[in-house]
Amino acid sequence: MRKVFQEELTQVGDQLVEISRLVSEAMDKATTSFQVADVDLAQDVIAADARIDFLQNSLDERAIDILALQGPVASDLRMIVGSLRMSASLERMGDLARHIAQLARLRYPSTVIPASMTETFNRMAELDQEIADKLTVLLESRDLEVARDILKANTAINDLHLSVFKAIAAPEWSESPATTVDVALASRYFERFADHGVSVAQKVTYLVTGAWQPNATEHS
């Protein structure tokens, strides 16, 4: 029975990695569609989100079955409960990538962001992609140095997010109301994506160390 139990735990971990890879792919395509107004790529992201949702539901059902049938304790219990919470964060990251793609599709054939904000959003996209890629590495390796890299990238995104809101609130901002809303929404999507990445990184840290961080990011 113990061997079966360990195999089930391994399968939960493998599913987390698979979801993380799909989220990374979704963000890569979403940011490309966002930057160059590629409506076909945006549609790919929107359609593929159903796969992330399906895998999250499958993982959660497996984890709940383990809780009900195996009665895990200590570190195994932390692993299962942590996996349930991490899968929710990863699923939300997939949703946020979809939101970015939906913005790109909405404004096609124009790009979403005005030229004055291109550099800022390109950097946010780059940092979000770094977080997404590193999450997969972290889930596979449990290397806490990777978790620290994710936290650093999130800090940089928070600074960029703040700069966006300062820009649109400045007297010299002259874009249309629709563009202003798009810029604010897009910045929020990129910032929230990173926050959920931090949430996953903190839960992995907890699984490795057994010490919960009281300032952990828990966002919906």
Side-chain angles (χ1 to χ4, degrees):
M1 288 296 294
R2 185 66 184 174
K3 182 179 179 181
V4 172
F5 176 51
Q6 290 301 323
E7 288 175 351
E8 289 175 335
L9 287 180
T10 298
Q11 288 170 357
V12 168
D14 290 345
Q15 280 186 281
L16 278 174
V17 171
E18 183 179 1
I19 296 169
S20 181
R21 286 179 177 145
L22 289 174
V23 166
S24 181
E25 181 181 341
M27 195 57 173
D28 182 39
K29 291 181 177 180
T31 54
T32 299
S33 70
F34 181 85
Q35 290 164 339
V36 302
D38 187 327
V39 71
D40 292 330
L41 204 55
Q43 190 58 45
D44 285 348
V45 175
I46 295 164
D49 187 55
R51 175 64 178 167
I52 294 174
D53 294 345
F54 171 81
L55 287 174
Q56 189 229 350
N57 288 333
S58 175
L59 183 151
D60 288 358
E61 289 174 2
R62 184 189 298 273
I64 290 168
D65 284 346
I66 295 172
L67 286 172
L69 299 175
Q70 300 290 352
V73 296
S75 61
D76 291 337
L77 181 60
R78 288 201 303 268
M79 167 63 184
I80 297 165
V81 174
S83 295
L84 283 166
R85 300 180 76 179
M86 285 188 281
S87 73
S89 287
L90 289 168
E91 187 274 336
R92 186 60 184 146
M93 291 171 79
D95 286 345
L96 289 160
R98 173 169 53 82
H99 292 338
I100 292 167
Q102 287 170 327
L103 268 180
R105 184 178 67 177
L106 177 66
R107 297 307 176 198
Y108 176 82
S110 300
T111 55
V112 178
I113 301 303
S116 62
M117 302 297 295
T118 298
E119 184 176 346
T120 297
F121 276 89
N122 284 350
R123 181 58 180 154
M124 291 180 82
E126 181 182 328
L127 288 165
D128 268 354
Q129 191 62 52
E130 177 184 336
I131 288 172
D133 292 342
K134 285 183 179 293
L135 274 184
T136 302
V137 175
L138 177 62
L139 288 167
E140 290 179 315
S141 68
R142 305 289 181 91
D143 182 347
L144 297 188
E145 187 61 38
V146 178
R148 286 186 281 272
D149 289 343
I150 290 170
L151 298 182
K152 290 176 186 176
N154 178 65
T155 298
I157 287 180
N158 287 340
D159 291 341
L160 291 166
H161 180 56
L162 180 60
S163 76
V164 170
F165 277 81
K166 286 181 177 178
I168 63 179
E172 58 269 23
W173 181 261
S174 59
E175 300 294 339
S176 70
T179 296
T180 303
V181 170
D182 285 348
V183 169
L185 280 175
S187 185
R188 183 63 168 163
Y189 295 154
F190 282 112
E191 185 263 344
R192 301 300 292 132
F193 185 95
D195 279 348
H196 282 286
V198 167
S199 183
V200 175
Q202 288 174 325
K203 290 179 180 66
V204 173
T205 300
Y206 171 61
L207 292 177
V208 172
T209 66
W212 181 247
Q213 300 180 34
N215 63 338
T217 306
E218 297 289 350
H219 296 294
S220 61

